[in-house]
Amino acid sequence: MTATETKRRRPTRGRKLIIAAIVVIGLLVAADFALAAAGEYQVAQKMREKFGLSEDPSVRINGFPFLTQAIAGDYRDIEISATGVPVRDQLRDLEIRANLHHTRIGLSDLLAGDTRGAKIDQVRGSVKIKANDLNRLVNQVTPFTDMAIEPDNRTEPPAGQKPDPTVAAVKLSGNTKVAGRTIRITAYGTVSLVNGQVMIGMNDVELDDMALEGLDAVLGVVRQALSVTIDPGTLPFTVTPTAVRVESGAFTVEGAINDIPLDGGGK
């Protein structure tokens, strides 16, 4: 074999090695995703039963590669979410979410759905109450449509004062009918977390027609209608609510709990 032929064959062998490495890596990545999907399915089945859901919740085991977490038996962040969850007759469209930080369970037990020995270092859970559920509650007092929830950013805490996580400023708006006329209402107040319940209190109410006849009576009815108490039910994994947030379109109640079994603690 001549030197020229040897030089021609070396690049070919190099290309084959590169192709083989790419194929192996691709197979490993595919296997990693397949194992993760199998683990997510088992967690979804358990959480469906735990939360009493009609469908499997969305489950995502975050972090890549999955296999290194599986070998260690320590899953850094399992994210669980479900929408359209009802609570008694009061709420119909809750969104629940839980992040399980450092769930400790062996791979064989996880894939077999045997979570009896699984432990979680920390769970952060939340329940989101949306505007359509608030609109439904308000309608029990006075008819409202197009209810909107927004943070009230007009005021901020004094400099150096730490905000209270259990109280948030809120702006509510919607339409109602007065004497056959559609009136646009905007109200400002607070959302407070009291004993696990969301209490809404309105301070200022504005109408798009402040010259309306019987204005004081209308303002009083609106203030009463919008000042409601909402029981969002139990947070995932019986997390104790410690904070409430207002965002566009919803209130979110959230909290955290440490060192609990995956199968324990009720919802």
Side-chain angles (χ1 to χ4, degrees), residues 25 27 30 34 57 61 71 74 88 119 127 132 154 157 172 175 179 182 185 188 190 194 219 232 258-259 265:
I25 292 172
L27 290 173
I61 301 177
I71 292 172
D74 179 5
R88 295 180 284 278
K119 304 288 185 181
V127 169
N132 55 351
R154 298 178 306 169
L172 301 178
N175 296 322
T182 299
I185 293 172
Y188 300 90
T190 58
V194 180
L219 293 178
N258 298 327
D259 300 322

Side-chain angles (χ1 to χ4, degrees), residues 36 39-40 43 59-63 66 69 75 77-79 110:
E40 290 166 352
V43 173
V59 175
R60 180 179 178 84
I61 301 177
N62 294 314
F66 170 82
Q69 299 182 75
Y75 305 88
D77 180 22
I78 301 178
E79 185 176 317
L110 176 63

Side-chain angles (χ1 to χ4, degrees), residues 44-53 55-57 267:
Q45 294 289 296
K46 288 292 181 181
M47 294 303 102
R48 176 177 179 173
E49 178 183 351
K50 187 180 185 68
F51 297 150
L53 303 175
E55 298 179 355
D56 287 353
K267 292 183 181 182

Side-chain angles (χ1 to χ4, degrees), residues 134 170 172 190-191 198-202 226-230 251:
L134 177 61
V170 64
L172 301 178
T190 58
V191 179
V198 177
M199 298 184 65
I200 305 170
M202 291 293 103
L226 295 178
S227 298
V228 298
T229 299
I230 304 174
F251 310 123

Side-chain angles (χ1 to χ4, degrees), residues 20-119:
I22 291 173
V23 170
V24 170
I25 292 172
L27 290 173
L28 289 174
V29 170
D32 193 87
F33 278 105
L35 280 174
E40 290 166 352
Y41 172 78
Q42 292 295 344
V43 173
Q45 294 289 296
K46 288 292 181 181
M47 294 303 102
R48 176 177 179 173
E49 178 183 351
K50 187 180 185 68
F51 297 150
L53 303 175
S54 59
E55 298 179 355
D56 287 353
S58 171
V59 175
R60 180 179 178 84
I61 301 177
N62 294 314
F64 179 82
F66 170 82
L67 192 56
T68 58
Q69 299 182 75
I71 292 172
D74 179 5
Y75 305 88
R76 295 187 294 273
D77 180 22
I78 301 178
E79 185 176 317
I80 303 166
S81 61
T83 58
V85 180
V87 172
R88 295 180 284 278
D89 295 329
Q90 190 179 38
L91 304 169
R92 302 178 189 174
D93 192 25
L94 290 182
E95 180 178 323
I96 64 172
R97 183 177 298 274
N99 283 85
L100 284 51
H101 298 297
H102 294 288
T103 301
R104 303 179 186 277
I105 180 175
L107 177 59
S108 59
D109 287 339
L110 176 63
L111 296 181
D114 183 2
T115 57
R116 289 172 295 179
K119 304 288 185 181

